[in-house]
Amino acid sequence: MTTILSDTETRVDDRESDQNERQSSPGGDTALEHSSAQSTHAATICVVGLGYVGLPLAVGFARSNYRVIGYDVDDVTVGRLQEGIDTTGDLSDDAIQDGDISYTTDASEIGAADYVIIAVPTPIDDDDRPDLGYVESAASTVGSTMDPGTTVVLESTVYPGTTRETVVPALEDASGLTAGTDFFVGYSPERATPGDADHGLEDVVKVVSAQTEAVLEDVATLYESIVDAGVHRAPSIEVAEACKVVENAQRDLNIAFVNELTMALDTMDIDGRAVLDAAGTKWNFHDYRPGLVGGHCIPVDPYFFAYRSAQEGFDPELMQTGRRVNESVPDHVAELTIKALNQCHKTLRESRVLVLGLAYKPDVGDIRSSKIGTVIDELQEYDIDVEGFDPFADDEAARESFGIEIQDRLSFEGFDAVVLATPHEEFDHLDLEEVADELADEPALIDVTGAVDDGVAADAGLTYRRL
């Protein structure tokens, strides 16, 4: 197995050393028979999957002077990267070409890597069950090309047991090699936060795990070379797999609590935000705010944990209740909009609503896991005409995803209501009086996240609603 701990040998010599060790010690535990690599940054790393997790990883290793191969099956993504275009919006065009990095759709190039990091999507299906199709496909592709001595690290979010029960068999079947003897595996959960410059790859503690202590130290050393915040060595692969889904399930539950709280308080005609502000004056009160729960992690990870738990005969009821609460919020937002239109004496089928912000979180353009689509669908059930505007999202992709007209330039002219769904920073500077002047008579503002001061909205002549 190649390690990254020494300065003495060339990569070619290292591979030959690996092979000689296996020939001289048949049946031995080669996971413990480390041949020394030539330098800390001499190893070649392949990142499989160049999305919002994989691309920053590839760039991070390249910046740290590793040779990096970025592999993806998407011709368009790879083509744009080869042209020097940042496909995530979180890096920069210069960053993706910074260092010894190449982008390819040729799977045979994976075989040149000493370490292969799999960072492919793990969605849920229509029945809220984990879909491991991308992981299995990636593992089979890696297995079909990798050489003995390779270390494969999974970063995709999975339920506990996936690495050993799904990834290892796929690698073994495709390669004809044996895990722990001919190649080695680890797991390190991604903790990417798109759009958050303060919590990038280098700034967040990396949890790592592997099948043996020796492999764990090797993988930990690899990640320590690019993560300034440090590395946490988990005692088992299953602990590392579980920690990822648990940390997001915790957030989901906390958000579900405040979502349910504010909906309940609304029935009592009590300002939920004011209640949270008052409760927040206590030193140990946790500050969570209501809103739509979208994205690739929080709305998905609890289902991974619940699925695995159910296989073992335990039903995590609280976790699933939290999911149901948060999944009900889009319908509640649509209901708030309809009530506001009624309060403004609007005929629903003649009403026009402008949705500001279509991405799942502020200051990013990712609409794939946005919950605003459910709000739009519900409004259209009442024949309400809905348009959208998002300064970050791709207009054509938004039209196709949400089935509505998308403005290329922001205009409030003639709309009966505005739903401020995603409070991009650009919207902070809106003059509500000017907005109200452009809107139809007796306009409404539905402020999903509470980004606008209700008093300012009222002074501008807007009927104001929020979660």
Side-chain angles (χ1 to χ4, degrees):
M1 174 181 174
T2 302
T3 69
I4 56 172
L5 306 176
S6 173
D7 293 303
T8 56
E9 302 175 5
T10 66
R11 180 67 200 130
V12 173
D13 291 342
D14 189 49
R15 278 196 183 276
E16 291 175 350
S17 177
D18 276 348
Q19 293 167 0
N20 290 336
E21 284 182 15
R22 290 189 185 85
Q23 292 170 357
S24 63
S25 304
D29 184 3
T30 56
L32 302 178
E33 297 171 1
H34 284 36
S35 58
S36 298
Q38 73 280 29
S39 71
T40 300
H41 299 94
T44 297
I45 297 166
C46 178
V47 178
V48 175
L50 299 175
Y52 75 99
V53 174
L55 186 59
L57 268 174
V59 169
F61 280 113
R63 282 175 169 171
S64 296
N65 299 319
Y66 290 93
R67 181 194 171 208
V68 178
I69 301 163
Y71 171 80
D72 200 288
V73 296
D74 190 316
D75 291 329
V76 174
T77 295
V78 171
R80 294 181 70 192
L81 291 170
Q82 290 172 339
E83 293 171 2
I85 300 171
D86 173 21
T87 53
T88 66
D90 277 343
L91 302 167
S92 69
D93 291 349
D94 289 338
I96 63 169
Q97 300 295 336
D98 187 9
D100 186 2
I101 185 169
S102 61
Y103 302 100
T104 184
T105 57
D106 182 359
S108 67
E109 295 191 32
I110 300 172
D114 308 300
Y115 298 88
V116 179
I117 299 174
I118 298 175
V120 295
T122 46
I124 53 175
D125 63 20
D126 292 339
D127 296 317
D128 297 330
R129 294 177 302 189
D131 179 358
L132 299 179
Y134 294 109
V135 168
E136 292 183 82
S137 177
S140 294
T141 298
V142 172
S144 69
T145 64
M146 71 180 183
D147 287 342
T150 303
T151 298
V152 180
V153 181
L154 179 64
E155 285 223 4
S156 304
T157 299
V158 294
Y159 54 79
T162 300
T163 303
R164 295 186 199 272
E165 298 167 8
T166 300
V167 175
V168 166
L171 290 168
E172 290 181 331
D173 289 346
S175 67
L177 303 174
T178 301
T181 301
D182 302 315
F183 69 92
F184 315 96
V185 296
Y187 181 79
S188 179
E190 59 90 0
R191 283 177 163 175
T193 308
D196 187 346
D198 295 327
H199 296 93
L201 174 65
E202 301 87 355
D203 309 309
V204 180
V205 173
K206 201 80 173 74
V207 175
V208 299
S209 64
Q211 60 192 139
T212 70
E213 286 295 326
V215 181
L216 175 61
E217 285 306 310
D218 188 49
V219 172
T221 303
L222 176 70
Y223 279 108
E224 282 172 338
S225 67
I226 64 167
V227 178
D228 296 336
V231 166
H232 175 84
R233 293 160 172 78
S236 71
I237 290 176
E238 289 74 19
V239 166
E241 291 169 325
C243 89
K244 167 62 179 179
V245 291
V246 166
E247 62 193 38
N248 282 317
Q250 181 191 61
R251 293 184 64 198
D252 195 40
L253 280 170
N254 280 311
I255 298 169
F257 171 73
V258 296
N259 274 333
E260 185 174 63
L261 175 71
T262 52
M263 287 188 283
L265 289 169
D266 186 53
T267 66
M268 307 174 201
D269 198 26
I270 298 174
D271 186 341
R273 302 297 175 125
V275 171
L276 291 173
D277 288 342
T281 61
K282 189 177 181 185
W283 62 271
N284 61 352
F285 187 82
H286 292 262
D287 186 21
Y288 284 86
R289 297 288 160 159
L292 298 170
V293 183
H296 306 280
C297 294
I298 298 178
V300 174
D301 293 1
Y303 292 121
F304 276 76
F305 188 88
Y307 175 82
R308 180 57 174 163
S309 181
Q311 287 184 323
E312 301 300 323
F314 183 82
D315 190 25
E317 295 181 8
L318 182 60
M319 192 177 295
Q320 294 177 89
T321 298
R323 275 283 71 233
R324 287 193 293 271
V325 169
N326 284 335
E327 286 297 303
S328 74
V329 173
D331 289 336
H332 183 67
V333 171
E335 182 181 349
L336 288 176
T337 305
I338 291 167
K339 287 181 176 179
L341 288 168
N342 284 330
Q343 186 177 344
C344 296
H345 311 292
K346 305 291 184 178
T347 301
L348 294 182
R349 64 168 52 93
E350 297 175 1
S351 297
R352 301 179 64 221
V353 172
L354 176 63
V355 177
L356 289 186
L358 302 167
Y360 81 91
K361 65 181 290 187
D363 302 326
V364 302
D366 195 339
I367 62 173
R368 291 171 296 169
S369 298
S370 175
K371 294 300 181 180
I372 194 60
T374 305
V375 178
I376 292 169
D377 290 344
E378 187 68 18
L379 294 177
Q380 290 179 323
E381 285 290 318
Y382 290 86
D383 294 327
I384 297 171
D385 181 21
V386 183
E387 289 189 16
F389 174 79
D390 193 300
F392 292 92
D394 179 79
D395 289 349
E396 190 56 41
R399 288 188 187 96
E400 182 177 348
S401 179
F402 301 116
I404 60 173
E405 184 57 41
I406 304 297
Q407 297 183 358
D408 54 7
R409 294 183 61 186
L410 180 58
S411 172
F412 298 95
E413 188 68 36
F415 286 95
D416 298 287
V418 174
V419 176
L420 179 52
T422 309
H424 295 305
E425 186 176 355
E426 180 173 318
F427 301 148
D428 292 346
H429 308 295
L430 291 175
D431 185 318
L432 293 187
E433 289 190 0
E434 292 181 1
V435 170
D437 287 342
E438 288 188 49
L439 293 169
D441 293 338
E442 296 188 76
L445 172 62
I446 297 82
D447 180 15
V448 175
T449 65
V452 173
D453 183 274
D454 56 350
V456 174
D459 291 342
L462 296 164
T463 295
Y464 181 81
R465 294 264 184 163
R466 69 182 179 197
L467 278 178

